[in-house]
Amino acid sequence: MILIDGKKVSLEIKAEIAEQVKQLKENGGKTPHLAAILVGHDGGSETYVAYKIKDCEAVGFKSTLVRYEDDVTQQELLAKIDELNNDTDVDGFIVQLPLPKHIDEQKIIEAIDPKKDVDGFHPENVGRMVIGLPSFVSATPFGIVELIKRYNIETSGKNCVIVGRSNIVGRPLSVLMSQKAINTTVTVAHSRTKNLKEVCYNADILIAAIGSPEFVTSDMVKDGAVVIDVGTTRVPSSETKSGFRLKGDVKFSEVAEKCSYITPVPGGVGPMTRVSLLKNTLLAATRKIYY
Ligand code: GUN
């Protein structure tokens, strides 16, 4: 079994990005600039956004954090998005999800200029990705594909089963995994899938993106399968300073021994998601998607 070290690969990619930023600056180019809008004080969102800002610093990007309380109006958010769309210094920005219930998330996503949509959530970017045009691809699917490529995992003609059909992970990943560069035969399983165990057992590459800790057990995994765990559920823990720890969607202790490759949690997909946002921001700053 080979443990896929997402942390190590993400550090390599970060170093590559930092080098490109250095060269950009040396050649008189502008410093890539990512902005993030954070609403409220959800613990997970606070942590993720803090990481995003820290990552920007690490590679030499400029970053801006715009904070609002939970009672911000949709109109105020839309006005800020309009401002960021028109701010020529900002190359890309994200609105951290989830948003409070009184705000229409889809309306917010669609207000972002697709050219600055480094999350890849805007329907224009999703549509472009589906038909194979240059597009911003959402960070987790982008990171998973990069991990598979960097580990030279054989994909052509393999059965890929993705459990979960979210707009952020499962659905876009299903498109990427069927594209010509990857060539897997994709099944998207979900809460209504019949015989889920058998469906998963048929996978050469099994990707768990359900958000249910230790959902995938060893009886669902074929010997020699590649297992990618997207789960990052926070569970209370007395052993960590923060008072919680992350649990994946895969029961690692029993599944790992059956796999050819497996991603751990933490240290697998998570760091690749983080670095993919940096990649998208660099693509935005250098006008590589829309030119
Ligand atoms: N919430 C959970 N994941 C994400 C993400 O990738 N981007 C944003 N904007 N919000 C999220």
Side-chain angles (χ1 to χ4, degrees):
M1 181 271 290
I2 295 173
L3 193 68
I4 298 179
D5 191 340
K7 180 82 193 163
K8 179 170 148 268
V9 175
S10 77
L11 288 173
E12 287 164 11
I13 297 173
K14 258 184 169 174
E16 293 163 15
I17 295 172
E19 179 56 31
Q20 287 176 59
V21 173
K22 188 168 152 258
Q23 280 178 19
L24 254 180
K25 290 180 186 173
E26 280 170 8
N27 294 330
K30 101 178 247 315
T31 301
H33 183 181
L34 173 72
I37 299 180
L38 173 61
V39 178
H41 299 275
D42 171 76
S45 294
E46 291 263 9
T47 307
Y48 292 136
V49 171
Y51 281 148
K52 289 170 188 180
I53 300 291
K54 193 171 137 229
D55 289 341
C56 283
E57 269 170 35
V59 296
F61 288 0
K62 184 174 168 188
S63 64
T64 301
L65 173 59
V66 184
R67 297 198 68 134
Y68 290 99
E69 291 302 321
D70 273 318
D71 60 358
V72 65
T73 65
Q74 184 162 302
Q75 216 176 356
E76 282 175 281
L77 273 186
L78 289 171
K80 178 51 78 175
I81 289 170
D82 190 47
E83 189 187 312
L84 294 173
N85 282 341
N86 290 298
D87 184 337
T88 52
D89 194 59
V90 172
D91 297 297
F93 65 98
I94 62 138
V95 180
Q96 187 66 26
L97 305 179
L99 291 169
K101 289 212 166 21
H102 66 279
I103 292 171
D104 180 344
E105 250 174 38
Q106 197 54 32
K107 202 158 190 172
I108 295 297
I109 290 169
E110 290 185 31
I112 299 171
D113 181 344
K115 297 179 183 61
K116 295 193 177 189
D117 170 38
V118 285
D119 256 334
F121 293 170
H122 191 287
E124 187 168 322
N125 277 310
V126 178
R128 289 172 67 100
M129 188 262 297
V130 169
I131 59 174
L133 288 175
S135 62
F136 293 113
V137 175
S138 69
T140 300
F142 191 14
I144 290 170
V145 167
E146 191 63 27
L147 213 44
I148 288 171
K149 284 185 188 161
R150 292 206 180 212
Y151 270 83
N152 292 314
I153 292 171
E154 180 64 48
T155 54
S156 187
K158 302 287 183 189
N159 287 332
C160 174
V161 175
I162 299 168
V163 191
R165 55 180 161 184
S166 71
N167 287 347
I168 294 182
V169 183
R171 192 163 289 134
L173 190 55
S174 71
V175 174
L176 296 178
M177 292 302 289
S178 72
Q179 278 177 346
K180 283 209 169 139
I182 307 273
N183 290 311
T184 65
T185 303
V186 179
T187 302
V188 180
H190 45 76
S191 53
R192 301 290 174 93
T193 298
K194 291 206 175 102
N195 306 323
L196 181 63
K197 277 193 181 185
E198 287 102 279
V199 171
C200 290
Y201 198 81
N202 193 35
D204 301 307
I205 301 172
L206 178 61
I207 304 178
I210 323 132
S212 180
E214 301 191 329
F215 181 89
V216 174
T217 46
S218 67
D219 54 335
M220 298 164 79
V221 179
K222 180 166 74 177
D223 273 327
V226 175
V227 174
I228 309 285
D229 189 348
V230 185
T232 51
T233 306
R234 293 169 137 220
V235 296
S237 168
S238 56
E239 287 156 31
T240 62
K241 219 165 60 182
S242 60
F244 72 87
R245 65 190 184 94
L246 294 182
K247 261 208 169 166
D249 287 348
V250 175
K251 197 160 191 182
F252 188 90
S253 56
E254 59 179 52
V255 170
E257 58 197 36
K258 298 186 85 176
C259 299
S260 54
Y261 293 87
I262 188 167
T263 61
V265 176
V269 172
M272 293 302 294
T273 296
R274 284 172 57 180
V275 85
S276 297
L277 179 64
L278 296 176
K279 273 191 122 178
N280 275 342
T281 304
L282 187 58
L283 290 171
T286 52
R287 309 281 184 270
K288 289 280 162 46
I289 304 292
Y290 294 92
Y291 37 82

